[in-house]
Amino acid sequence: MNTEEIRAILTICLLASYADGDKHDREREQIRQVAQGLAQDQRINLPGLYQEVLMRRVQLADVLPSLASGEARQLAYEMAVCVCEADGRTSAPEQAFLARLREALGQAPAEFDAQADALAAAPLDAASVMAEAAPATDTPTAADAPSGTAAQRRPGALSAAEMDGKILNAAILNGAIELLPENLSTLAIIPLQMRLVYQIGQSHGYELDRGHIKDLLATLGVGLTSQYLEQAGRKLLGGLLGKVGGGLLGGLGRQAVSSGMSFASTYALGHVAHQYYAGGRTLSTQMLRDAYQHVMADGRRMQDRYLPQMQEMSRGLTTTRILQMVRGG
């Protein structure tokens, strides 16, 4: 895939992220930070693309001619679908954008759209499969638990060791999913993270809804759309979506390229949610953000230790299996 095709695909992703015209300033800033963070490849100038999209100086018709190959057109459409689905079911403006894009790219409605819808609408209260799917080969120790997260055990809550193990297993699973090149697999990380937060809240006596969890993630500085853009953008810029056997799906990605963001972010979300709900939801916004950044740093330091387990697990994952996990099957 050449530079112009990559540039066009990333521009379409940014256009998709603003298709509903309903982005909060906080989410706009998160997307800007993603563009800045992905700007390591100087051939693309993502911050420049972001400004062009935000100021409406570029339209869909301007970038479509750059998508010369059928594979690039398919990839552009699939990534746009995932961007629109990242924060929940697509809105009417997003559906209209995708319809225009699908027609312009010559993409027929496919099973991919339905599968992306199913991921976005996956129930939070589905049975957990994360503990079975991602068993850590070594038991978490006190050194693995971030400082400041200990809390007294409440009736029905997991023990400290059980909670640490649950969070670590979820982080390993999402780290393994991040290694896969498929767009649909990357989209699955978000509902799995949301379900982890739901289950942690439930263990402390809180029945959370999707809106509450989204608000908590936003408070921590985790935008759903921007998180998908960063995960997918790193894979695309890292060349992880190359053609193999005439298809779009390559072999396992390289953790160094994708940065292990999903392992660290899942690990941090789990431990901060545990601290928040175990403490009766008394932490301030700034305390939550500080705690999240602190535990994210812990997760980044740990990811190399657990990378072999992520790599091994990713070899046994398929899109079908990941869909089953998200649906609770």
Side-chain angles (χ1 to χ4, degrees):
M1 192 174 299
N2 62 45
T3 300
E4 284 306 306
E5 286 179 319
I6 293 175
R7 177 185 171 90
I9 291 170
L10 291 170
T11 302
I12 287 173
C13 286
L14 290 170
L15 288 168
S17 73
Y18 289 113
D20 59 5
D22 191 30
K23 284 287 181 288
H24 188 279
D25 287 345
R26 182 168 51 196
E27 180 74 348
R28 290 175 184 269
E29 174 60 18
Q30 289 170 344
I31 294 173
R32 185 197 67 77
Q33 290 175 358
V34 167
Q36 188 69 44
L38 293 175
Q40 298 172 3
D41 188 331
Q42 298 301 315
R43 298 170 300 169
I44 303 297
N45 186 20
L46 258 171
L49 293 184
Y50 170 82
Q51 288 297 326
E52 289 180 1
V53 170
L54 191 62
M55 302 303 293
R56 299 186 179 181
R57 294 195 294 258
V58 62
Q59 303 296 324
L60 196 55
D62 299 327
V63 296
L64 292 176
S66 297
L67 298 172
S69 67
E71 290 87 351
R73 290 193 293 272
Q74 180 185 343
L75 179 58
Y77 179 69
E78 290 185 358
M79 288 187 69
V81 170
C82 290
V83 168
C84 291
E85 294 279 12
D87 58 357
R89 282 192 177 274
T90 53
S91 64
E94 288 172 331
Q95 290 173 357
F97 173 84
L98 291 175
R100 294 197 305 272
L101 179 63
R102 184 168 57 240
E103 181 179 3
L105 295 176
Q107 300 293 308
E111 183 183 1
F112 184 91
D113 302 61
Q115 290 176 327
D117 280 341
L119 286 177
L124 293 170
D125 58 354
S128 174
V129 297
M130 284 188 278
E132 296 83 356
T137 57
D138 52 345
T139 303
T141 64
D144 290 329
S147 59
T149 60
Q152 287 187 340
R153 185 177 183 180
R154 298 184 178 183
L158 299 177
S159 70
E162 290 169 338
M163 182 62 74
D164 288 347
K166 182 181 185 67
I167 294 169
L168 179 60
N169 288 338
I172 291 172
L173 173 60
N174 280 336
I177 292 173
E178 187 182 18
L179 290 174
L180 300 174
E182 296 92 335
N183 286 306
L184 204 60
S185 296
T186 303
L187 183 61
I189 291 168
I190 292 170
L192 287 173
Q193 288 178 333
M194 293 181 69
R195 184 176 300 163
L196 175 66
V197 174
Y198 173 86
Q199 291 169 345
I200 291 171
Q202 191 178 50
S203 76
H204 294 294
Y206 295 99
E207 287 293 331
L208 310 177
D209 60 24
R210 195 174 298 272
H212 176 91
I213 296 174
K214 286 182 180 180
D215 288 344
L216 175 62
L217 266 61
T219 298
L220 298 177
V222 183
L224 302 180
T225 302
S226 54
Q227 183 178 190
Y228 175 82
L229 280 171
E230 181 160 359
Q231 291 164 348
R234 287 188 185 279
K235 290 182 178 183
L236 182 61
L237 290 172
L240 303 185
L241 294 168
K243 294 185 294 182
V244 172
L248 281 172
L249 306 182
L252 295 180
R254 290 167 296 167
Q255 189 77 12
V257 174
S258 63
S259 83
M261 174 187 175
S262 295
F263 174 88
S265 64
T266 303
Y267 183 82
L269 282 172
H271 279 289
V272 174
H274 174 44
Q275 182 179 4
Y276 182 54
Y277 295 116
R281 300 197 294 190
T282 57
L283 296 178
S284 68
T285 295
Q286 191 58 52
M287 290 173 68
L288 282 169
R289 290 177 177 171
D290 290 346
Y292 180 76
Q293 292 303 319
H294 174 74
V295 187
M296 269 284 284
D298 290 341
R300 290 192 183 102
R301 286 191 291 269
M302 291 170 57
Q303 66 194 30
D304 286 346
R305 173 180 171 187
Y306 292 101
L307 177 56
Q309 290 173 248
M310 292 182 241
Q311 291 172 325
E312 179 63 27
M313 180 171 295
S314 65
R315 295 186 182 97
L317 289 174
T318 64
T319 299
T320 299
R321 178 59 185 139
I322 292 169
L323 284 167
Q324 290 173 340
M325 289 179 187
V326 175
R327 292 167 179 164

